[in-house]
Amino acid sequence: MAGYLLARAGVPVIVLEKHADFFRDFRGDTIHPSTLQLMYELGLLDEFLNQPHQEVRELRAVVNGQLVPIADFTKLPTRCKFIAFMPQWDFLNFLSAHAKQFPSFQLLMQHEVVDLTFDQERVTGVRVKTPRGDLEIRADLVIGADGRHSIIQKRAGLERQEFGVAIDVLWMRISKRENDPQQTLGFFQQGKLLVLLDRGDYWQCGFVIPKGGFELIKTRGLQQLQNEIVSFAGFLRDRVGELDDWSKIKLLTVQINRLRNWCRDRLLCIGDSAHAMSPAGGVGINLAIQDAVATANLLAQQLRAGPVSIDDLRRVQERREWPTRLIQAMQVFVHRHVVTGQSSHRKDSLPFVVRLLKWFPALRQIPARFIGIGPRPEHYSGRVR
Ligand SMILES: Cc1cc2nc3c(=O)[nH]c(=O)nc-3n(C[C@H](O)[C@H](O)[C@H](O)COP(=O)(O)OP(=O)(O)OC[C@H]3O[C@@H](n4cnc5c(N)ncnc54)[C@H](O)[C@@H]3O)c2cc1C
């Protein structure tokens, strides 16, 4: 998104992606109302909505066996009053296809950044590994948007604060049948959580486990894991046996962390590279996109003319740090109180907050706003046109 916006503003941009395509199983699928609003502001919304996707207007979860509404997006002050579920590779292909229409945009696949180059303290570019050999790319600004295992962040020596996370996620596919429930679903049960993302002909399953607990689960055996999944979502009973080999079950480690400084001279980190997000609330993609918009809004004009100062880069952090802190605090809270088994609720009882949402429909607009728009939403500024 940062590459798209900067190129649209006439800034020469090279986006480096280490993989040969965007097809990653572990990406989230949520495109939030605030991102859809941005697509509208960019004039891309109609075409975007022509891509295969699902529209979720109300978020519901099955909590201790009871179906409960969590968030109602229908009253949001946005053009699209829903979350669009679209595999992230489709979204990235869509965005990069549009970015390629700008003469100043280049996307280089299978180009892995392995190091930074410096002139004393100043970052001057990156070293890149490609199938055709290594190369060096010089740049006025390096933007680290390389996710939660960011090499840019490490090589830049930026200090990171870790906020302990007590969960990991098992990530696997189970086939989908015609009579299955129609929506993406979250099943909470006594502090445990199974999420099913509808990917057309299969369910992408995210099963939350205690951090470091995968070895114990393996020791107990596949049958036990299958039984546990069925205890959350009984309709999967006839096909949970598809998970017949541990190679079909990937362990995704969950982190929440944040850089103290998101930048140094001629380098800026955004998205998970600056602040790794957990899946809680499904807001990490939205936050990364908001960072990209703020980056383009604040820097595009100067970048057209040449390098930007460290103070300019700090302004991006100043703008985005507060929303990041708030959302990460929410994620830490959710981990502690909802999905780590620390709750003491009876098997069939609903947590108090969930009961409130059930009793008072108006309250569902609070999580809708937090998840769907988030604090301090960014808008496409005419300046980057
Ligand atoms: C299990 C799990 C499920 C999640 N589900 C959701 C969800 O449903 N909704 C949601 O909003 N958030 C979700 N999140 C959080 C979300 O995935 C992240 O917050 C979001 O993807 C961050 O976007 P990003 O662009 O900063 O980084 P990423 O999406 O990680 O993208 C980084 C990109 O950089 C590339 N790259 C990495 N290193 C290099 C390198 N050295 N050289 C070149 N390229 C490189 C990667 O291949 C990748 O394409 C989930 C997180 C986890 C762990």
Side-chain angles (χ1 to χ4, degrees):
M1 180 60 87
Y4 170 90
L5 290 171
L6 290 170
R8 182 171 168 139
V11 178
V13 179
I14 303 177
V15 174
L16 304 169
E17 168 56 53
K18 69 177 170 183
H19 292 289
D21 53 38
F22 291 124
F23 193 78
R24 298 283 95 64
D25 236 2
F26 56 81
R27 294 185 186 283
D29 291 12
T30 49
I31 311 291
H32 291 239
S34 54
T35 303
L36 295 168
Q37 187 72 19
L38 181 68
M39 301 307 271
Y40 171 70
E41 290 163 6
L42 292 167
L44 300 176
L45 183 64
D46 289 343
E47 203 184 327
F48 176 80
L49 292 177
N50 281 334
Q51 314 293 310
H53 69 282
Q54 290 172 19
E55 297 177 3
V56 172
R57 290 177 163 71
E58 191 184 51
L59 218 51
R60 291 184 222 148
V62 180
V63 181
N64 293 338
Q66 301 186 48
L67 185 67
V68 284
I70 301 289
D72 173 6
F73 301 109
T74 59
K75 310 233 166 26
L76 288 181
T78 47
R79 195 158 181 95
C80 297
K81 298 174 193 311
F82 53 82
I83 288 189
F85 277 79
M86 179 186 285
Q88 206 186 109
W89 50 87
D90 287 346
F91 177 58
L92 291 174
N93 283 332
F94 175 85
L95 208 55
S96 55
H98 279 275
K100 283 175 193 162
Q101 291 168 11
F102 303 125
S104 61
F105 181 87
Q106 275 188 80
L107 169 63
L108 303 179
M109 305 303 282
Q110 288 183 287
H111 278 60
E112 179 179 2
V113 174
V114 289
D115 211 344
L116 295 170
T117 56
F118 294 91
D119 176 6
Q120 299 186 7
E121 288 303 299
R122 173 170 288 171
V123 174
T124 54
V126 288
R127 278 191 222 288
V128 184
K129 201 168 92 187
T130 83
R132 288 166 302 285
D134 297 352
L135 57 102
E136 204 178 299
I137 298 178
R138 291 178 75 83
D140 284 343
L141 176 65
V142 172
I143 299 180
D146 49 343
R148 62 207 160 102
H149 304 296
S150 169
I151 184 86
I152 302 243
Q153 172 212 99
K154 283 188 198 91
R155 292 289 190 263
L158 298 172
E159 192 192 340
R160 201 167 69 185
Q161 297 168 273
E162 292 288 342
F163 306 97
V165 175
I167 61 161
D168 284 328
V169 176
L170 298 185
W171 205 238
M172 53 227 159
R173 294 176 176 203
I174 299 181
S175 62
K176 204 171 145 241
R177 305 263 161 91
E178 227 168 79
N179 294 333
D180 285 355
Q182 286 306 304
Q183 257 199 11
T184 292
L185 295 169
F187 297 84
F188 291 85
Q189 205 166 274
Q190 293 179 288
K192 292 183 181 168
L193 169 61
L194 174 75
V195 176
L196 301 182
L197 300 176
D198 184 350
R199 291 237 174 110
D201 56 350
Y202 69 92
W203 292 107
Q204 180 65 59
C205 310
F207 188 45
V208 175
I209 61 166
K211 196 168 248 339
F214 192 34
E215 283 312 311
L216 181 62
I217 289 173
K218 276 182 163 173
T219 316
R220 288 186 187 145
L222 269 172
Q223 180 75 51
Q224 173 76 22
L225 177 64
Q226 292 170 2
N227 292 345
E228 208 161 352
I229 290 171
V230 170
S231 76
F232 282 83
F235 67 94
L236 295 176
R237 184 183 308 279
D238 56 352
R239 63 207 109 126
V240 74
E242 291 167 10
L243 300 173
D244 55 3
D245 192 286
W246 289 109
S247 65
K248 295 184 179 170
I249 298 158
K250 289 185 202 127
L251 172 70
L252 301 181
T253 53
V254 177
Q255 297 162 272
I256 300 182
N257 60 44
R258 192 166 62 238
L259 297 181
R260 273 188 210 283
N261 291 309
W262 298 14
C263 57
R264 56 180 287 174
D265 198 5
R266 308 262 170 108
L267 178 139
L268 172 69
C269 289
I270 58 173
D272 268 22
S273 168
H275 46 75
M277 307 300 290
S278 101
V283 289
I285 297 168
N286 190 42
L287 201 65
I289 287 175
Q290 303 282 309
D291 285 0
V293 179
T295 301
N297 282 346
L298 290 164
L299 304 180
Q301 211 165 24
Q302 286 122 294
L303 278 173
R304 251 194 318 238
V308 290
S309 71
I310 182 96
D311 287 339
D312 291 325
L313 298 178
R314 282 197 193 109
R315 269 193 271 283
V316 177
Q317 175 174 356
E318 277 160 21
R319 175 138 190 107
R320 297 306 309 158
E321 186 165 1
W322 171 77
T324 305
R325 278 174 179 264
L326 197 62
I327 292 176
Q328 288 187 322
M330 179 277 286
Q331 294 195 321
V332 170
F333 177 87
V334 168
H335 286 190
R336 289 217 180 108
H337 297 277
V338 185
V339 289
T340 54
Q342 291 173 17
S343 74
S344 59
H345 309 293
R346 285 199 347 258
K347 203 172 174 190
D348 56 349
S349 76
L350 292 178
F352 182 63
V353 177
V354 176
R355 265 188 261 178
L356 283 178
L357 293 172
K358 198 172 172 183
W359 293 332
F360 303 106
L363 290 181
R364 293 171 211 159
Q365 285 166 49
I366 299 170
R369 202 167 174 115
F370 202 76
I371 295 170
I373 301 180
R376 190 176 274 169
E378 303 291 343
H379 294 277
Y380 170 64
S381 129
R383 276 181 297 146
V384 302
R385 213 180 266 279

